Amino acid sequence: MTSPDDIAEDPVLALLQEYSPPNGVADELLRPDGRLRPVWRPLIDLLARQSPEEMAERFARGDQYLHDAGVYYRQHTQSGSTLRDWPLSHVPVVIAEEEWRELAEGIVQRAELLEKVMADLYGMGDLVANGLLPAELIARNPEWLRPMVGIRPRSGHFLHFLAFEVGRSPDGSWLVLGDRTQAPSGSGFALENRMATSRVFQDLFPTSNVERLAGFFRAHRGAMTALNAGGDGKVAILTPGHHSETYFEHAYIARYLGLLLLECEDLKVERGRLMVRTIHGPQPVSVLWRRLDSRFADPLELDENSALGTPGMVAALRAQDVTMLNCLGSGVLEARALMAFLPRICEKLMGEPLKLPNIATWWCGQDLERGYVYENLHRMMIGRALSSDLPFEVDALTALGGDFRGTARRPIGEWLDRDGPNLVGQEAVTLSTTPAMIDGQLLPRPALIRVFATRTSRGWTVMPGGYARIGRSGDPTALSMKNGGSVADVWVVGDRPVEPETLTGEPEGPFIRRGPGLLPSRAADNLFWLGRYVERAEARVRELRAYHLRLSESGDPSLPLVARLGAFIEGFGVDIDEPVPAVVLELFDAAQGCAGKVRDRFSTDGWQALTDLAFTARGHFSRVHPGDQAVKAMGELLRKLAGFSGLVHENMYRSSGWRFLTMGRALERADQTISLLAAFADPAQPGGGFDVAIEVGDSVMTHRRRYSVHTSRSSVIDLLALDAGNPRSVFFQIDMLRDQDRLLTQNAASEPMSDLARAILLLHTELSVAVPEDITTERLFGLQGEIREISTLLTQRYLS
């Protein structure tokens, strides 16, 4: 027995003082005899030497990285959805390389087995014909898609990217708890976990012989590129959109691998060929890594109620025009009941037993198996046969140990007899534990690991590491993040130093400068409106600052100029009595929504700046009062807007995406400036109106330098409407529009001038020769109509 003196002298013993896994449960840290596993020794020694303050500082580095990188997941509730911070468990799961190699061998065999099962279910159907699978189990599964039967994949394989939920049995051996074949998520989060954890342990990680992850992603990207060999189509990731729980990962992986990120609305099928709508017309897509459920992919042949799908997707697969990872219908392999038959199927198809067994499973659609489940209720988890839920994920339709969870039901025997074909019994899982730092103490917590595998030209490659889910408490049913669970990195540690891994290798042959790639019309549309919303918000903030400045000086909202300015602002639906009006907040939200839909094309710094802007507007200024406080608040918002604009417009590559962001910004600034001039450069405006126009137009210093005379209508019109050197003038915006449109069409010089280019050129020519006297208030309204027509023509040409 360890004495108090031993604990005081040995920091490792002190660290592990409260670490006591439940009896009969395997643990990642400790051997069955209670001794520390050698592979954990360096990490535990380091943790033991840390003071609470040093530990907190380490963990804060990882959290700060995740915050700066914008890592989040979307949690859906009955009241809507919210973005949640990524819940990192800072202590990684550490596994010896030799043990991981044995696990990987089992994963490779299982992947091959599932490929054979998939090929049979959508091919000859021998497994059902020969009695190895019940016909009912397949035919009643909504994930078995009849329209896909007989369609042979262009690549020759149905499955290309898989994930497996694995955990330890009480004797320490590995078990498969779930197969993820539909659209496995988590590989990108595994990479972000690694990035964060390597910062937490930046002094230990480089020398710990931890297998790197970049090689796995390089192999996966190479495999996708090889599937497109010789083709003219693009390689892309298909996402359900930014409302998906894992959209961050889709955008992150697309950036990391340099792939297009598409939604179904970006795609269309023309004469059996899958095309992506781009700003320059339809372009072919040859390889599609699918991240949405199969049945939503095609409303014509699969689910007519799907608002996510692309009509004709199945036809394109039938024509072998596109390779899909994984093939539509692969979700049928995730059914819990299928596990009951895999051991026998493996021996039949592979000629050998499963190297990596799955959790013991009995389908209750058979009399003998149903009777066995009933006789062993005390050690059974009973749930939906066709669900992909894991054995510990309980709900109202689940019974554990003979008791229903969440609701009162009739006796379990009656339930089994009546609904047997819909039910499956699985051995109640006892998850192994792993160390987690909980409130300053190292404690054992239930865990499972998601392992990833990708098909390459050399066969299946398994990621050397993965994505661990950690329970907050000792209850294995509370591993999900919505129940307080967390996630952790998985270190596969060898005996020898590992070679540095990068995603890119040195290419063969001469250097080739590649273009920035295609821009889907949807992405261009969101960037265009992002520019417009931010510019519109800036206009409202500048107007509000000018109003509250004059209100604070006079204290009388009825004065002609103050009242005129207030009425002008209210004309945009703004409540001038609100500290930060709802309209302004809505504009920030709209901008954030557009940016969120193009996260793969948007810098992390730009996203953080926009998020901080919206947060400041909603929280920090909720209690400011009209007058001086509002002036200061609007000033701070303007500085944050300027910071965002600087990040985006100075750091963003001058690709087509930047051009649409810029064109949106230019059109909106021209429109807002004309509204301002029509109101405050009108001869009938109250005294001081010219100064309001110059101030809101952010041109006070320029006006003072340019014009020695008193502010006049001519000087205001000249500076804010006609000056080619003023970045706030209307002419400057039209000049910018002409340049950007010319650059977008520079490879189409032989085509006749478009209606858009003609409209821009006509307006540009008029303004370039105009004098202030030509720009009457009536002409300003006419200019505004022409600006809005240009916006319509731009949308028709590029964004429709």
Side-chain angles (χ1 to χ4, degrees):
M1 182 174 180
T2 304
S3 69
D5 290 340
D6 293 332
I7 293 175
E9 294 176 3
D10 189 337
V12 171
L13 289 177
L15 178 67
L16 300 180
Q17 183 178 6
E18 301 296 328
Y19 196 88
S20 179
N23 291 331
V25 173
D27 184 68
E28 296 294 337
L29 177 64
L30 302 179
R31 291 173 168 172
D33 60 7
R35 290 185 299 161
L36 189 67
R37 296 182 189 271
V39 73
W40 281 86
R41 172 60 69 174
L43 179 59
I44 294 301
D45 283 345
L46 178 102
L47 290 173
R49 296 195 304 269
Q50 305 299 299
S51 68
E53 294 75 20
E54 291 170 332
M55 193 87 73
E57 183 179 346
R58 283 179 176 275
F59 292 173
R61 285 202 300 264
D63 294 338
Q64 188 63 49
Y65 167 79
L66 294 171
H67 174 77
D68 292 344
V71 184
Y72 71 90
Y73 73 100
R74 184 177 292 276
Q75 182 171 319
H76 293 280
T77 62
Q78 292 182 348
S79 60
S81 65
T82 56
L83 302 184
R84 300 291 188 184
D85 292 335
W86 191 241
L88 180 68
S89 181
H90 303 90
V91 179
V93 178
V94 184
I95 300 175
E97 180 186 23
E98 182 178 351
E99 183 180 10
W100 188 266
R101 191 182 302 118
E102 294 178 2
L103 174 61
E105 290 176 3
I107 292 293
V108 168
Q109 184 211 44
R110 195 173 185 90
E112 285 294 337
L113 173 62
L114 292 176
E115 169 71 27
K116 291 179 181 293
V117 173
M118 180 77 175
D120 181 79
L121 292 180
Y122 289 98
M124 297 301 294
D126 290 337
L127 292 175
V128 170
N130 296 331
L132 292 172
L133 272 176
E136 179 183 8
L137 192 62
I138 304 303
R140 295 178 64 251
N141 192 330
E143 296 298 338
W144 183 68
L145 306 179
R146 187 176 295 275
M148 297 303 300
V149 174
I151 297 179
R152 188 69 185 171
R154 186 177 72 161
S155 68
H157 298 288
F158 289 85
L159 304 176
H160 296 84
F161 192 87
L162 301 173
F164 303 89
E165 311 281 7
V166 301
R168 290 188 191 273
S169 65
D171 65 4
S173 61
W174 292 102
L175 286 174
V176 174
L177 304 176
D179 300 301
R180 297 292 176 250
T181 57
Q182 171 81 269
S185 63
S187 58
F189 287 125
L191 190 58
E192 285 288 42
N193 290 343
R194 173 60 55 85
M195 298 292 288
T197 307
S198 64
R199 282 162 172 75
V200 173
F201 300 104
Q202 59 189 15
D203 48 350
L204 176 67
F205 179 82
T207 61
S208 291
N209 304 337
V210 180
E211 292 288 337
R212 304 305 197 251
L213 304 182
F216 173 84
F217 288 98
R218 186 174 64 247
H220 180 54
R221 186 180 64 181
M224 286 192 291
T225 302
L227 291 172
N228 191 37
D232 61 346
K234 301 300 178 181
V235 181
I237 297 175
L238 182 63
T239 174
H242 71 290
H243 289 300
S244 167
E245 292 180 353
T246 55
Y247 177 74
F248 168 83
E249 182 192 33
H250 306 165
Y252 175 78
I253 288 291
R255 283 199 306 267
Y256 184 66
L257 298 182
L259 303 177
L260 279 173
L261 183 65
L262 304 177
E263 296 183 23
C264 283
E265 67 178 271
D266 293 324
L267 300 168
K268 65 177 181 177
V269 177
E270 293 183 346
R271 295 182 293 277
R273 190 161 201 198
L274 189 65
M275 312 290 282
V276 55
R277 297 180 174 92
T278 78
I279 58 172
H280 296 306
Q283 300 292 327
V285 175
S286 295
V287 180
L288 204 57
W289 184 9
R290 174 175 61 87
R291 304 303 296 271
L292 82 163
D293 290 352
S294 299
R295 59 191 177 90
F296 298 127
D298 186 346
L300 283 182
E301 298 199 51
L302 300 179
D303 185 347
E304 64 182 12
N305 297 314
S306 172
L308 299 175
T310 300
M313 181 75 79
V314 172
L317 293 170
R318 189 176 290 121
Q320 293 196 333
D321 174 70
V322 61
T323 297
M324 183 169 283
L325 289 65
N326 293 323
C327 277
L328 296 180
S330 56
V332 68
L333 302 176
E334 295 187 355
R336 295 161 70 175
L338 188 65
M339 288 187 171
F341 304 93
L342 283 182
R344 186 180 172 198
I345 292 174
C346 185
E347 293 190 358
K348 179 68 176 179
L349 299 184
M350 309 286 288
E352 59 184 359
L354 283 171
K355 295 180 180 178
L356 189 61
N358 48 240
I359 186 171
T361 305
W362 297 266
W363 179 51
C364 297
Q366 299 164 303
D367 293 340
L368 185 62
E369 285 74 9
R370 184 167 63 252
Y372 181 84
V373 169
Y374 183 70
E375 292 173 0
N376 294 272
L377 289 177
H378 62 283
R379 61 185 187 90
M380 288 286 173
M381 173 78 78
I382 303 173
R384 292 168 291 178
L386 302 181
S387 168
S388 61
D389 290 344
L390 294 173
F392 54 82
E393 294 177 331
V394 300
D395 57 23
L397 297 177
T398 301
L400 175 62
D403 295 320
F404 283 107
R405 304 295 294 262
T407 185
R409 296 286 297 273
R410 65 180 62 190
I412 288 184
E414 293 183 18
W415 185 42
L416 288 172
D417 289 337
R418 186 192 64 184
D419 294 335
N422 298 323
L423 301 174
V424 65
Q426 291 184 297
E427 192 170 20
V429 64
T430 302
L431 291 178
S432 60
T433 55
T434 193
M437 194 64 71
I438 307 293
D439 298 329
Q441 288 186 316
L442 197 68
L443 301 173
R445 288 294 179 260
L448 62 84
I449 298 173
R450 179 170 289 193
V451 185
F452 302 92
T454 182
R455 183 188 294 279
T456 70
S457 59
R458 299 180 180 180
W460 289 97
T461 295
V462 177
M463 179 190 288
Y467 166 106
R469 291 167 60 184
I470 313 293
R472 173 72 182 178
S473 66
D475 182 3
T477 66
L479 260 70
S480 67
M481 287 185 283
K482 66 181 180 181
N483 290 329
S486 57
V487 294
D489 191 13
V490 178
W491 289 8
V492 176
V493 176
D495 297 327
R496 298 177 302 277
V498 297
E499 293 294 326
E501 288 273 13
T502 62
L503 185 63
T504 57
E506 189 66 29
E508 298 179 0
F511 171 77
I512 300 176
R513 174 175 290 168
R514 304 195 181 277
L518 297 178
L519 180 64
S521 296
R522 177 190 55 82
D525 187 52
N526 280 293
L527 288 165
F528 175 77
W529 278 101
L530 171 62
R532 296 204 70 156
Y533 285 135
V534 170
E535 191 65 32
R536 193 174 297 177
E538 182 179 337
R540 301 290 85 80
V541 172
R542 288 188 179 279
E543 292 156 4
L544 284 165
R545 185 173 68 168
Y547 171 79
H548 285 288
L549 179 61
R550 283 153 182 80
L551 183 64
S552 67
E553 291 173 347
S554 66
D556 186 358
S558 65
L559 290 178
L561 182 60
V562 180
R564 179 74 179 93
L565 187 50
F568 174 73
I569 299 171
E570 289 177 333
F572 297 105
V574 177
D575 184 349
I576 57 176
D577 294 325
E578 292 181 323
V580 179
V583 168
V584 175
L585 298 177
E586 290 167 3
L587 288 171
F588 289 147
D589 290 343
Q592 206 168 6
C594 289
K597 295 175 184 177
V598 288
R599 282 294 298 273
D600 58 312
R601 298 176 179 272
F602 208 65
S603 75
T604 299
D605 287 338
W607 173 258
Q608 290 292 346
L610 189 57
T611 301
D612 180 57
L613 182 62
F615 175 80
T616 300
R618 285 192 179 278
H620 188 53
F621 297 144
S622 60
R623 298 179 180 177
V624 299
H625 298 289
D628 285 337
Q629 288 188 357
V631 171
K632 293 178 182 178
M634 296 304 112
E636 184 170 341
L637 285 179
L638 283 175
R639 288 189 290 274
K640 287 182 178 288
L641 277 163
F644 168 77
S645 297
L647 280 169
V648 171
H649 295 288
E650 296 303 320
N651 299 341
M652 193 172 176
Y653 184 80
R654 266 43 175 177
S655 62
S656 297
W658 180 86
R659 303 195 193 291
F660 280 96
L661 185 68
T662 299
M663 293 170 82
R665 183 188 185 198
L667 278 168
E668 189 64 38
R669 180 170 289 185
D671 189 287
Q672 296 296 330
T673 301
I674 290 173
S675 294
L676 179 70
L677 291 173
F680 294 100
D682 186 83
Q685 53 79 37
F690 296 155
D691 293 324
V692 168
I694 294 295
E695 179 185 329
V696 175
D698 196 25
S699 299
V700 173
M701 295 298 296
T702 305
H703 188 274
R704 288 175 182 171
R705 287 195 300 268
R706 290 284 309 279
Y707 306 96
S708 58
V709 298
H710 181 70
T711 305
S712 66
R713 184 180 191 279
S714 293
S715 67
V716 172
I717 293 293
D718 187 54
L719 184 59
L720 291 181
L722 305 177
D723 195 323
N726 183 8
R728 291 279 169 178
S729 77
V730 177
F731 181 74
F732 189 95
Q733 313 314 315
I734 303 304
D735 193 51
M736 184 179 296
L737 284 169
R738 187 187 64 162
D739 290 345
Q740 299 310 316
D741 182 59
R742 185 174 64 245
L743 289 169
L744 286 170
T745 58
Q746 60 185 348
N747 295 325
S750 60
E751 296 181 2
M753 180 178 288
S754 68
D755 291 341
L756 172 63
R758 186 177 294 107
I760 293 174
L761 180 59
L762 287 172
L763 186 54
H764 185 277
T765 301
E766 177 189 347
L767 293 178
S768 64
V769 299
V771 295
E773 290 77 9
D774 298 331
I775 311 299
T776 63
T777 300
E778 291 73 17
R779 183 62 192 125
L780 284 171
F781 288 122
L783 290 175
Q784 191 167 51
E786 292 172 37
I787 291 290
R788 293 175 181 179
E789 177 61 20
I790 287 173
S791 178
T792 299
L793 292 172
L794 184 149
T795 300
Q796 292 172 348
R797 178 168 176 78
Y798 295 114
L799 308 180
S800 297

